[in-house]
Amino acid sequence: MVKKKEDIKEVDEIFDSFVKQSIFQNKITLQSNYNPEDIPHRKRQIAQVASIIAPSLRLERPSNLFLYGLTGTGKTLVTQYVRNQLLKKADKLGVSLLMPYVNCKLRKVADTEYRILAELIHKLGGKVPATGLPTDQLYKKFIDIVDVQKQILIVILDEIDQAVKRIGDEFLYNFTRLNTELTKAQITVVGISNDLKFLDTLDPRVKSSLSEEEILFAPYNALQLQDILKKRAKEAFKEKVVDGGVIEKCSALAAREHGDARRALDLLRIAGELVERDSKEKISLDYVDRAKDKIESDKLLIAVETQPKQFQLAFLSVIQLLRRIKREKKEEKIFTGDVYNLYRDLCKKTRTEILTQRRISDIIAEFDMQGLINAKVISKGRYGRTREIRLDLPENLVDRINLILMDSLSL
DNA sequence: CGAGATTCATGTGAAGTATACCTTTAGGCTTAA
DNA sequence: AAGCCTAAAGGTATACTTCACATGAATCTCGTA
């Protein structure tokens, strides 16, 4: 039924092929955490961000800043770039300037008010327990750390929309008001959001103070993406490794996905990695296609694997139900009740504690938020009201997930 | 035939509970003078 | 007597449960044309 994805080579052979010939010269330049010296097509934004936060060099508090644009449009990159430059400059001038960066999306790290604050304190060299303290005590601690001398603190909150979606915008209010508590230091908040409509969902007070300045990052078009890729590919690969059209194809694919540069780079890198694994010497077009599939499935597999046990059980229920239904060629929709029933059975089989339907309902909603499934609350009229759950994934991927979950839950 | 009432299955909000972890405090023990 | 360790007390955040009410269109009911 399920095909083996990769031939099993002798370990020795695998190592050999890696040592012998690498098509990569400097792979780092294609990785998403790489900060290039030069960011094409973002000159204007860099200048804007820089000029807005520049007053910090004179120990004046810059305006709060809000950056928004779809994923892979360079928001984080630009911010990091300006951040590094500014820190360098501040260092040279002997100005006391702190710019902690927190990604608010990371589950279990910075997805509640408490944890964001804890992470921030941690970045500033303080220590706080993971739990046990009242949140306002964390604020106190934060102030203690920051307010030791005249200095500017620029807090960068990435993926801020995720945090607000989860815990509301109150913490932003607290944050922007922090300045009134400070005597020596001053705080500026830089918010980064992937959600274009995010600002409108905020409380007006928060909105006006957070977006004293705002900058929109428009998607890259295919040509701009090509530019970016070419520049990076030149450093990443050895000469004459990339077939004609490959870069164009990566760009086109990514441009279709709202101009996501990260996506384009990933495509190219993964394609390269696949080529290398096959001990080939050139990246040809079909490797781009394979890379595309791999990226999509990898992302999902990781998301599923890192899910807590109860979540995995719930997800497995969803998957198995949908597979079953698909086999009977019925409509590919299921409802909360169905999921819960199967979930209960699975719990019994695995001797796991059974959570209430209330909770499972929330978990399903969370899957939807994470984009693992497609759930919509509908009313079936006389037959009640429920979530209609769908999953649009290729069948072989669903099978793989199924196996992985069965395995990790030892079913 | 159509407007309004009914109904179902679950969504959703609020409040309560269990658990894990934190700090503080006080008592008891050790140690060194 | 001072210093250190430990256990108990008191507190919080988080994940989950319990309770109670909200939803909203398919279906039913019943008055009217």
Side-chain angles (χ1 to χ4, degrees):
Chain A
M1 280 294 197
V2 185
K3 282 182 287 182
K4 270 270 175 340
K5 282 286 180 277
E6 288 145 31
D7 304 349
I8 298 159
K9 290 196 250 176
E10 288 295 322
V11 176
D12 208 39
E13 206 177 309
I14 298 174
F15 290 160
D16 273 352
S17 69
F18 261 88
V19 178
K20 240 187 283 170
Q21 36 163 357
S22 175
I23 57 168
F24 288 109
Q25 189 171 54
N26 185 12
K27 195 160 103 181
I28 302 165
T29 62
L30 291 180
Q31 282 163 0
S32 55
N33 54 1
Y34 174 70
N35 286 338
E37 317 241 314
D38 183 39
I39 307 174
H41 305 292
R42 284 292 178 256
K43 298 273 179 297
R44 199 166 56 83
Q45 283 82 352
I46 290 174
Q48 276 180 306
V49 174
S51 66
I52 289 167
I53 63 175
S56 58
L57 288 173
R58 288 194 304 216
L59 285 178
E60 290 166 18
R61 181 185 161 275
S63 299
N64 289 334
L65 174 59
F66 181 67
L67 306 177
Y68 62 112
L70 298 170
T71 35
T73 48
K75 300 178 297 295
T76 306
L77 199 57
V78 165
T79 317
Q80 292 289 11
Y81 176 80
V82 176
R83 172 175 184 266
N84 291 337
Q85 300 289 320
L86 190 69
L87 285 177
K88 250 190 248 168
K89 196 79 179 173
D91 198 36
K92 219 183 271 173
L93 296 174
V95 178
S96 185
L97 178 64
L98 295 170
M99 286 185 87
Y101 169 91
V102 175
N103 188 327
C104 306
K105 193 177 76 176
L106 301 176
R107 263 177 81 70
K108 301 279 178 188
V109 177
D111 57 354
T112 68
E113 177 171 19
Y114 184 94
R115 299 215 258 237
I116 290 173
L117 209 48
E119 182 66 10
L120 218 41
I121 291 172
H122 187 69
K123 288 267 160 79
L124 295 174
K127 274 194 195 132
V128 243
T131 166
L133 290 185
T135 305
D136 41 338
Q137 197 145 333
L138 278 208
Y139 275 107
K140 226 168 134 199
K141 175 130 190 174
F142 179 70
I143 289 170
D144 282 350
I145 290 180
V146 171
D147 209 15
V148 288
Q149 56 171 319
K150 189 163 169 58
Q151 63 179 340
I152 298 292
L153 181 75
I154 301 178
V155 177
I156 304 171
L157 300 175
D158 204 348
E159 318 238 18
I160 199 173
D161 48 322
Q162 300 284 334
V164 169
K165 213 184 274 174
R166 201 179 277 275
I167 57 176
D169 55 12
E170 212 164 307
F171 82 98
L172 279 176
Y173 183 67
N174 294 337
F175 246 89
T176 50
R177 273 196 32 175
L178 224 43
N179 272 314
T180 56
E181 308 274 325
L182 295 167
T183 53
K184 297 172 195 151
Q186 285 195 297
I187 298 184
T188 289
V189 178
V190 176
I192 304 179
S193 158
N194 291 325
D195 182 354
L196 300 180
K197 289 185 188 159
F198 172 67
L199 268 186
D200 300 330
T201 66
L202 289 179
D203 181 303
R205 286 175 307 177
V206 178
K207 180 181 169 183
S208 64
S209 67
L210 176 62
S211 61
E212 288 171 349
E213 301 275 357
E214 49 183 271
I215 301 177
L216 170 69
F217 282 66
Y220 297 105
N221 62 36
L223 284 176
Q224 293 172 327
L225 287 174
Q226 279 183 35
D227 249 18
I228 295 169
L229 284 190
K230 272 179 196 154
K231 207 162 263 175
R232 299 246 198 141
K234 213 162 144 195
E235 293 181 44
F237 296 108
K238 290 184 179 153
E239 265 181 76
K240 293 181 185 160
V241 166
V242 185
D243 261 7
V246 166
I247 287 187
E248 286 75 3
K249 181 158 188 179
C250 291
S251 310
L253 283 175
R256 223 190 302 158
E257 299 240 349
H258 54 254
D260 184 342
R262 189 182 313 157
R263 185 51 166 272
L265 289 164
D266 281 346
L267 279 170
L268 194 56
R269 178 173 50 86
I270 302 285
E273 284 172 3
L274 289 173
V275 167
E276 190 156 70
R277 202 174 297 173
D278 286 1
S279 325
K280 297 267 173 56
E281 272 137 44
K282 284 197 161 201
I283 304 178
S284 55
L285 282 176
D286 52 321
Y287 274 97
V288 178
D289 287 320
R290 286 173 52 184
K292 186 180 163 222
D293 291 345
K294 182 165 163 43
I295 287 174
E296 270 155 31
S297 51
D298 278 6
K299 212 165 54 182
L300 213 72
L301 289 179
I302 287 172
V304 170
E305 273 172 355
T306 53
Q307 227 51 247
K309 191 173 181 192
Q310 291 286 1
F311 284 54
Q312 289 192 343
L313 278 166
F315 197 70
L316 186 58
S317 311
V318 172
I319 282 187
Q320 297 206 333
L321 278 174
L322 282 164
R323 287 172 94 216
R324 207 175 290 168
I325 285 174
K326 200 163 195 176
R327 233 176 284 142
E328 291 163 19
K329 276 200 167 177
K330 275 195 274 176
E331 289 238 55
E332 297 173 33
K333 300 170 187 167
I334 54 171
F335 308 108
T336 307
D338 308 336
V339 175
Y340 189 64
N341 287 334
L342 181 54
Y343 161 81
R344 262 203 331 237
D345 293 347
L346 290 176
C347 278
K348 274 179 205 150
K349 263 189 221 163
T350 53
R351 303 268 199 88
T352 312
E353 227 180 312
I354 302 173
L355 299 184
T356 49
Q357 179 154 346
R358 176 73 185 80
R359 181 65 186 139
I360 296 299
S361 170
D362 278 350
I363 289 177
I364 292 174
E366 217 166 304
F367 286 152
D368 185 41
M369 281 241 292
Q370 294 180 33
L372 292 175
I373 61 174
N374 216 314
K376 203 167 80 187
V377 179
I378 55 155
S379 175
K380 291 190 294 171
R382 181 69 197 277
Y383 304 104
R385 199 171 130 81
T386 182
R387 273 202 180 78
E388 179 185 283
I389 301 166
R390 272 186 301 187
L391 191 67
D392 23 45
L393 299 174
E395 207 164 333
N396 61 347
L397 186 54
V398 175
D399 291 343
R400 270 175 77 192
I401 295 175
N402 184 36
L403 285 179
I404 287 173
L405 285 182
M406 299 269 280
D407 191 49
S408 92
L409 298 167
S410 50
L411 270 164

